[in-house]
Amino acid sequence: MPQLFSPRADARLRVALALGAGALVMAAAAGFVYVRSDRAWRVGVAAPQPIPFSHAVHAGGIGLDCRFCHAGVERQAAAGMPTAETCLGCHRQVWNVAAQFAPLETALALQVPVPWASVHRLPEHVRFHHGAHTAAGVACESCHGQVWTMPRTVKAETLSMAFCLGCHRDPAPRLRPAEAVFSRDWQPGSASQPTPADAATPRLQHFGVEIPALTRCSTCHR
Ligand code: HEC
Ligand code: HEC
Ligand code: HEC
Ligand code: HEC
Ligand code: HEC
């Protein structure tokens, strides 16, 4: 039987196959790295807002408490968003740039919520409750980062399932005493605070935290 392909053609085919397989592996690896990157989770990406609101000015500079505008955080599932009245209470007097605040006046006139864009939505199948976390001693900072330094609001953590479980498997070292939940300079084990290791067990008991329940699928999924 005569040779159909020259030895050179055979060699070329082998090289081509090897390169093709290599490229597939590289593409799969790149995809794997990307879906796990902060970029895929939109960490650090701001959303277009109806008004260029700045937490750095209001929560940082002026020093307003988070609860002034997000009044639900201590008891409700949703943190809640400020109404037009909350802003206009100050902005009809100071810094009244009418054009900039037009979306607020419109919302007020139509009696609808201000259309703030969210950077933190979880998928429909996930359950979340702010009040449960605040009451257990979890600070806003644990999930939202140092919001009071942000000129534009961005996601500071992925809020992926792995992120949630990272704490739910062992929350004790991340919990604060009740009076420090809204503090902006609290450090674990600082000053008169007990160290997390010593504090863990009594604090878990104090807050009634039960670890196995926190990692059950039904805790977070509907
Ligand atoms: C003066 C009112 C005001 C105060 C005080 C305030 N916020 Fe906000 N917050 C807003 C407004 C308005 C938005 C929507 C616009 C934006 O995202 O910038 C917002 C958005 C957010 C979001 C994003 C919500 C989403 O759906 O993605 C988080 C998280 C947040 N605030 C946390 C905080 C924390 C933590 C504090 C305290 C350090 C705080 N805020 C203090 C008014 C306020
Ligand atoms: C306690 C009073 C108070 C409340 C409530 C308040 N503001 Fe302000 N805001 C101020 C002051 C004071 C300034 C000016 C800060 C400065 O001089 O840098 C300001 C500045 C601003 C600016 C322009 C400055 C900048 O650089 O971002 C915008 C836009 C703004 N506020 C939007 C809002 C919105 C939207 C709300 C409601 C969610 C709100 N403010 C609630 C007091 C307030
Ligand atoms: C354990 C993590 C965690 C902590 C702690 C936390 N948040 Fe959130 N926050 C989230 C998640 C997750 C969402 C998105 C919720 C959703 O899509 O159902 C969210 C959404 C928000 C929103 C959007 C609007 C809404 O009504 O929910 C605001 C505002 C907010 N958080 C403010 C705060 C403030 C202020 C604190 C501190 C008192 C805080 N959060 C503490 C995880 C957290
Ligand atoms: C820094 C620690 C921490 C992080 C991060 C965290 N949690 Fe929790 N979570 C807790 C603690 C502590 C409790 C227990 C509260 C209790 O026992 O009352 C809890 C309770 C819950 C509950 C039960 C609420 C209820 O009604 O009793 C749900 C649901 C939940 N977490 C969802 C989430 C989701 C979803 C995320 C990620 C977006 C998340 N948690 C991130 C610490 C955390
Ligand atoms: C502490 C809260 C928490 C617990 C406990 C938890 N999950 Fe999740 N899970 C999440 C969050 C948050 C997301 C959504 C992440 C995203 O896509 O934004 C998620 C997403 C998922 C998804 C979709 C994955 C995807 O890529 O979109 C599946 C499937 C899932 N979880 C299964 C489970 C199973 C099975 C268990 C029990 C072994 C479990 N989860 C326990 C928080 C939790």
Side-chain angles (χ1 to χ4, degrees):
M1 169 129 170
Q3 211 178 357
L4 280 180
F5 297 103
S6 71
R8 253 185 80 209
D10 269 358
R12 277 206 211 112
L13 180 64
R14 273 190 210 105
V15 170
L17 282 176
L19 286 177
L24 274 180
V25 170
M26 296 287 282
F32 187 84
V33 169
Y34 177 75
V35 297
R36 279 157 187 76
S37 69
D38 281 355
R39 202 186 155 86
W41 288 98
R42 303 188 68 77
V43 169
V45 182
Q49 298 291 351
I51 300 171
F53 176 79
S54 162
H55 279 101
V57 168
H58 294 87
I62 305 173
L64 292 176
D65 190 280
C66 313
R67 289 164 287 187
F68 184 85
C69 292
H70 305 297
V73 280
E74 285 180 293
R75 277 170 303 279
Q76 284 149 22
M81 296 303 281
T83 61
E85 282 101 328
T86 314
C87 312
L88 291 174
C90 285
H91 283 288
R92 282 211 173 111
Q93 290 148 40
V94 293
W95 202 274
N96 188 357
V97 188
Q100 199 166 42
F101 291 100
L104 295 181
E105 299 287 3
T106 308
L108 200 57
L110 298 175
Q111 293 291 307
V112 294
V114 185
W116 304 117
S118 178
V119 293
H120 286 93
R121 278 292 146 246
L122 291 177
E124 278 291 304
H125 56 81
V126 185
R127 200 201 309 272
F128 184 74
H129 198 290
H130 274 97
H133 289 88
T134 307
V138 184
C140 317
E141 201 181 335
S142 303
C143 300
H144 295 301
Q146 304 199 332
V147 174
W148 62 91
T149 64
M150 298 178 185
R152 289 295 170 267
T153 317
V154 294
K155 217 176 172 187
E157 301 285 351
T158 58
L159 301 185
S160 64
M161 180 160 138
F163 168 78
C164 307
L165 284 174
C167 182
H168 276 212
R169 287 201 182 102
D170 181 23
R174 315 260 314 262
L175 301 185
R176 300 182 179 193
E179 69 276 10
V181 168
F182 291 93
S183 157
R184 294 177 191 179
D185 44 25
W186 187 79
Q187 295 290 327
S190 71
S192 61
Q193 294 301 329
T195 62
D198 301 339
T201 311
R203 212 182 287 159
L204 275 178
Q205 282 165 356
H206 175 78
F207 287 115
V209 176
E210 197 195 333
I211 293 180
L214 283 185
T215 53
R216 248 178 250 147
C217 315
S218 60
T219 299
C220 301
H221 291 289
R222 300 173 212 271

